[in-house]
Every structure is written in structure tokens, then in C-alpha cells.
Amino acid sequence: MDRISLSTVSPTEAPTRTPVTPAYLRIGDHLRSQIEAGSLAPGDALPPERELSATHGVSRMTARKALSVLEGEGLIFRDATRGTFVAKPRLPLRVGSFSKEVERGGGRAGAEVVWTREQAAGRTVASAFGLNELDRVHVIQRLRRWDDEPVAVETTYYPADLLPDFLDGDLHGSLWDRLGEYGITLSTTTATVEVVALDAEVGPLLDARQGMPGLHMTRQTFDDDGRCVEYARDVYRADRVALTIDRPLQDRLSDD
């Protein structure tokens, strides 16, 4: 009778398996390295999904997933009629006056008034200002541009009693400069930022598809008496803007 010999392998001698990187990540890494090296420059067209799938031997769904990763990182953008292109670097913005921040970065700030109205404050806005819910507030929604590119939609509130006739003046420049015309000296601003999906109202204004990632910033601006004089809800294209929130180091150390 033939004998069958069995051998055992120690766990320390067991062969190790190298984790396999998913194909869509490999494709994304390849394109990302080309963008970072400058082989693909801002405005350059990327190969279409059909060509990517053939080149890398994957399905079009896999190629589409690779492009979605890069789009989420803000490295590329898609045009429904023209194709997929390398995006320009994100625009650096600090929390503050949009107009002044764009000018500081060497750009040209633009503001297009979408609508204005006067209305009752409501619970959230009244709480921000320390008003009653039925007190009147001015509301201004503006599309903000860096040069000719739409990057943010601002919806800004002001107490109507504090700023009579505010809506009748120029609303296309810095609204902080307008506050100065009323003798208001600004002192501090606070902001909370969260990631959201662009909805059917804001997306088209920003030339972005519904569902693309956005940055929603809620702001309060205070004068030198500690009074809230501005409340705002701003939505930015997350793939086009990099927000920086500065805070004095001494403030942080005093919290410890």
C-alpha cells in the first residue's frame, strides 16, 4: 500500500499574500501622478471612459469609478457635452470678506444678486441676532465669482431696524464695506463648516451637478460692542475652494 505523507507548515512559514489594489484605484493613481507631475495640465482633456477601459482592461463602470474619485478630490471636472478635463488648483480662501480675500489672492471678485427680500426673522435667524421671531430682517442671496468662475452662493441676513434702506444701496461689492457706511465697526466673525451635497437650487448656480460635494458655512459677524450684525449661510463648491479658518494661537492656548 502506498503511503501518503502529510507535511505541515508553520504559521511563520506560511506564504503571505500581497493585498491587491482595486483596479479603479490603480487607474486613479496613474492619472493623479500625471496631473501632479504636470504631464496633464489644467484644462487638458482626459481619455474618455471607453478609452480608459480598453487601455487598462477594465469595464467602463470601473473607469467611471476611477474618474469619480479624482472628481471628488477636485483634480478633474466633467462637462456633460465636452468630456472630462483637469481642474485648476483649488482657490485658497480664508473666512472673512470674500471680495478682499479674492483680491488678496490676485483675483477679481464678482457678485451677482440672485434675489433680495425683507421677511420675518424666524427662529434660527432670530436666535443668531438676539431678536424676536417676528422682527424683520433683510435677506440677500448672491452668486460669488472668482474672476469669471462661480464658486459660492451666499445667503446673508441683516437686522432691518439696524440697517434701514440697506437693500436700496449697491449690493455688488463688499457688504462689509456697506456696513461701515452705517458707522458699524466689525470685530470678529465665527464660522461652522460642514460637508453637504449640492442641491437642485444651488448646483445650477455653481455650474455643478446636483449631488456634488459642497461646503456649507454658517457665519456670524459681530461689531466691536459684541453685537451680531450679520448672519450668513454660504455654500461653496468643495472641488474649487480650500477654506482656511484662522484663530489666534493665544485664544487656543487660553482654552487649555
Side-chain angles (χ1 to χ4, degrees), residues 18-65:
T18 303
V20 177
T21 303
Y24 78 93
L25 291 180
R26 294 200 305 272
I27 298 171
D29 288 343
H30 174 69
L31 293 173
R32 187 185 299 103
S33 64
Q34 289 185 299
I35 293 172
E36 292 175 347
S39 302
L40 287 171
D44 286 351
L46 269 68
E49 293 174 4
R50 180 174 55 255
E51 183 177 334
L52 284 175
S53 63
T55 300
H56 295 275
V58 298
S59 67
R60 288 189 62 174
M61 182 178 296
T62 299
R64 186 177 304 121
K65 192 173 182 180

Side-chain angles (χ1 to χ4, degrees), residues 87-102:
K88 294 184 290 186
R90 280 186 172 93
L91 304 169
L93 283 175
R94 293 184 304 184
V95 175
S97 167
F98 181 93
S99 299
K100 289 179 172 53
E101 282 300 304
V102 170

Side-chain angles (χ1 to χ4, degrees), residues 11 29 70 80 102 107 121 147 172 181 212 224 231 255:
D29 288 343
L70 297 181
V102 170
D147 294 335
H172 295 87
E181 295 174 8
M212 281 186 60
D224 53 3
Y231 175 74
D255 290 341

Side-chain angles (χ1 to χ4, degrees), residues 180-249:
E181 295 174 8
Y182 285 80
I184 295 174
T185 302
L186 301 180
S187 175
T188 59
T189 185
T190 63
T192 300
V193 180
E194 57 185 334
V195 178
V196 297
L198 300 180
D199 59 25
E201 176 185 357
V202 172
L205 291 173
L206 295 175
D207 289 344
R209 298 196 319 275
Q210 181 179 350
M212 281 186 60
L215 298 175
H216 183 277
M217 179 165 61
T218 304
R219 293 186 290 114
Q220 283 180 276
T221 305
F222 301 85
D223 65 9
D224 53 3
D225 292 325
R227 174 181 54 179
C228 180
V229 296
E230 178 188 68
Y231 175 74
R233 297 168 179 155
D234 307 333
V235 179
Y236 296 83
R237 280 189 59 151
D239 63 333
R240 295 303 302 123
V241 171
L243 287 174
T244 299
I245 300 177
D246 291 328
R247 185 182 176 193
L249 181 60

